[in-house]
Amino acid sequence: MKKLKIIHTVYGDASGGRWQAMLNTFDALASKGHEGVLVYGEENKNLKSENYPKFCLNSSGFYDLLAAVKLALWLRTYRPDVVIAHSGRAVYLFKNAIFFARIKCPVIAMNHSHNVKRTLRADGFIHITPYVGQCVAVAAKKKSIDLTKKPQAIISNLIHLPESQPSFSEMLSEPVVLGIMTRLVEYKGTHLAISAVQQLKQQGYKVKLLIAGEGEQKATLIQQVKDLNLENEVKFLGWIGGEDKRKFYNDINIALVPTMNDTQPLAILDAFAWGKPVVASDHISVQQIIRQGENGLMAKCGDITDLVDNLTFFIEHPEQICKIARSGYQDAENEYQFCRVADKLNNFLYSVLN
């Protein structure tokens, strides 16, 4: 099959998981032999992009026609086969630029939030969860847009499996080690995890919480730990990767994902890949991944007591940990790992172009 020239683009702040998701998509399609280039604005120029071909072009907003004209001139030289846009602003910019360039090139929107209305101009869609697809359908209906003429596919974000398969131990450490890996912002629910540790301690359980991540809420969370006298139970690790990430997953017994607002929590997929049981909220994004009692447990969103009850279930029934962790790992192998997602992306793009 023909090697494709693919533009991967995002405009607007992509400092969360959106940027990494774009790089992962680039890598997945590059593994299939396709050429790629990143296109982004000044707001993202300091994000990780070394070793990636790139073109930085500033755009002031959705209706920046000067930026669209500049981009059109570059497009007439580069001649891409397809554009994968990871934000609404990117969809607008490239649709306008392709019009000015007078070239034929489909723009595929890959939505990373449930606010999808700005991406409806795209020529096709990659939905990272079924619910994102529902959001697009609802938004399109309100705008009287016929989606039957726009190809769509449900293709998850991807994860990398560790080199060795997890051991799936039924033994819990003492204290039981809980782990949360996330951006430290309020909607991720780390404060709920800290409060859950306090309640577990009051109930006589010996637990420890490892928090991996950075963010604007960190100082508030550190103060919360001090106020609750949990300095011996809670440890902040900062951002971790490589060997530190391996150690984190080797050390924890249970992964916590108490998110209150998300699209597809990658922390759940990561925990699956490392063979760790997950206790998460029942936010709609989590419901796209977890099947209650089969590959994880869900607590009512924002409900500390229910979060504690689900953690207590695992602590009191360690035999369930192995069963549920194995199911999650199987999902990681079958649905979310790099090579599976790369195949789906590759097949979808060829179907669009053919």
Coordinates of all heavy atoms in Angstrom, one line a residue, residues 8 22-34 158 160 338-339 341-343 345-346:
H8 N -0.1 15.7 11.8 CA -0.7 15.6 13.1 C -0.7 17.0 13.7 O 0.4 17.6 13.9 CB 0.1 14.6 13.9 CG 0.3 13.3 13.3 ND1 -0.5 12.2 13.6 CD2 1.2 12.8 12.4 CE1 -0.1 11.2 12.9 NE2 0.9 11.5 12.2
M22 N -1.3 12.8 20.7 CA -0.9 13.1 19.4 C 0.4 12.5 19.0 O 0.5 11.9 17.9 CB -0.8 14.7 19.2 CG -0.5 15.1 17.7 SD -0.5 16.8 17.4 CE 1.0 17.3 18.4
L23 N 1.4 12.5 19.9 CA 2.7 11.9 19.6 C 2.5 10.4 19.5 O 3.1 9.7 18.7 CB 3.7 12.2 20.8 CG 4.1 13.7 21.0 CD1 5.1 13.7 22.0 CD2 4.5 14.3 19.7
N24 N 1.6 9.8 20.3 CA 1.4 8.4 20.2 C 0.7 8.0 18.9 O 1.1 7.0 18.3 CB 0.4 7.9 21.4 CG 1.1 7.9 22.7 OD1 2.3 7.9 22.8 ND2 0.3 7.8 23.8
T25 N -0.2 8.8 18.4 CA -0.8 8.6 17.1 C 0.3 8.7 16.0 O 0.3 7.9 15.1 CB -1.9 9.6 16.9 OG1 -2.9 9.5 17.9 CG2 -2.6 9.3 15.5
F26 N 1.1 9.7 16.1 CA 2.2 9.8 15.2 C 3.1 8.5 15.2 O 3.4 8.0 14.1 CB 3.1 11.0 15.6 CG 4.2 11.3 14.6 CD1 4.2 12.5 13.9 CD2 5.3 10.5 14.5 CE1 5.2 12.8 13.0 CE2 6.4 10.8 13.7 CZ 6.3 12.0 12.9
D27 N 3.5 8.1 16.3 CA 4.4 6.9 16.4 C 3.7 5.7 15.9 O 4.3 4.8 15.2 CB 4.7 6.7 17.9 CG 5.7 7.7 18.5 OD1 6.3 8.5 17.7 OD2 5.7 7.9 19.7
A28 N 2.4 5.5 16.2 CA 1.6 4.3 15.7 C 1.6 4.3 14.2 O 1.9 3.2 13.6 CB 0.2 4.4 16.3
L29 N 1.3 5.4 13.6 CA 1.3 5.4 12.1 C 2.7 5.4 11.5 O 2.8 4.8 10.4 CB 0.5 6.6 11.6 CG -1.0 6.5 12.0 CD1 -1.7 7.8 11.8 CD2 -1.7 5.5 11.1
A30 N 3.7 5.9 12.2 CA 5.0 5.8 11.7 C 5.5 4.4 11.7 O 6.2 3.9 10.8 CB 6.0 6.7 12.5
S31 N 5.0 3.6 12.7 CA 5.3 2.2 12.7 C 4.8 1.4 11.5 O 5.3 0.3 11.2 CB 4.8 1.5 14.0 OG 3.4 1.3 14.0
K32 N 3.8 2.0 10.8 CA 3.3 1.4 9.6 C 3.9 1.9 8.4 O 3.5 1.6 7.2 CB 1.8 1.6 9.6 CG 1.0 1.0 10.7 CD 1.1 -0.5 10.6 CE 0.3 -1.2 11.7 NZ 0.4 -2.7 11.6
G33 N 5.0 2.7 8.6 CA 5.8 3.2 7.4 C 5.4 4.5 6.9 O 5.9 5.0 5.9
H34 N 4.4 5.2 7.5 CA 3.9 6.5 7.0 C 4.8 7.6 7.5 O 5.4 7.6 8.6 CB 2.5 6.7 7.5 CG 1.6 5.6 7.0 ND1 1.4 5.3 5.7 CD2 0.7 4.9 7.7 CE1 0.5 4.3 5.6 NE2 0.1 4.0 6.9
L158 N -3.8 4.8 22.9 CA -3.0 3.6 23.1 C -2.1 3.7 24.3 O -1.8 4.7 24.9 CB -2.1 3.4 21.8 CG -1.1 4.4 21.4 CD1 0.2 4.2 22.2 CD2 -0.8 4.4 19.9
H160 N 1.6 1.4 26.0 CA 2.7 0.5 25.8 C 2.7 -0.5 26.9 O 2.7 -0.2 28.1 CB 4.0 1.2 25.8 CG 4.1 2.2 24.6 ND1 4.6 1.8 23.4 CD2 3.8 3.5 24.5 CE1 4.6 2.9 22.6 NE2 4.1 3.9 23.2
F338 N -0.2 -0.8 21.8 CA 0.3 0.0 20.7 C 0.0 -0.7 19.3 O -0.6 0.0 18.4 CB 1.9 0.2 20.8 CG 2.5 1.0 19.8 CD1 2.7 2.3 19.9 CD2 2.9 0.4 18.6 CE1 3.3 3.1 18.9 CE2 3.6 1.1 17.6 CZ 3.8 2.5 17.8
C339 N 0.4 -1.9 19.2 CA 0.2 -2.6 17.9 C -1.2 -2.7 17.4 O -1.6 -2.6 16.3 CB 0.9 -3.9 17.8 SG 0.3 -5.1 19.0
V341 N -3.8 -0.7 18.3 CA -4.3 0.6 17.9 C -3.7 1.1 16.6 O -4.3 1.7 15.8 CB -4.1 1.7 19.1 CG1 -4.5 3.1 18.6 CG2 -4.8 1.2 20.3
A342 N -2.4 0.8 16.4 CA -1.7 1.1 15.2 C -2.4 0.5 14.0 O -2.7 1.1 12.9 CB -0.3 0.7 15.2
D343 N -2.8 -0.8 14.1 CA -3.5 -1.5 13.0 C -4.9 -0.8 12.7 O -5.2 -0.6 11.6 CB -3.8 -2.9 13.4 CG -2.6 -3.8 13.4 OD1 -1.6 -3.4 12.7 OD2 -2.6 -4.9 14.0
L345 N -5.8 2.4 13.4 CA -5.6 3.7 12.8 C -5.2 3.5 11.3 O -5.7 4.3 10.4 CB -4.5 4.4 13.5 CG -4.8 5.0 14.9 CD1 -3.5 5.4 15.6 CD2 -5.8 6.1 14.8
N346 N -4.3 2.6 11.0 CA -3.8 2.4 9.6 C -5.0 2.0 8.7 O -5.2 2.6 7.6 CB -2.8 1.3 9.6 CG -2.1 1.2 8.3 OD1 -1.5 2.1 7.8 ND2 -2.1 0.0 7.8

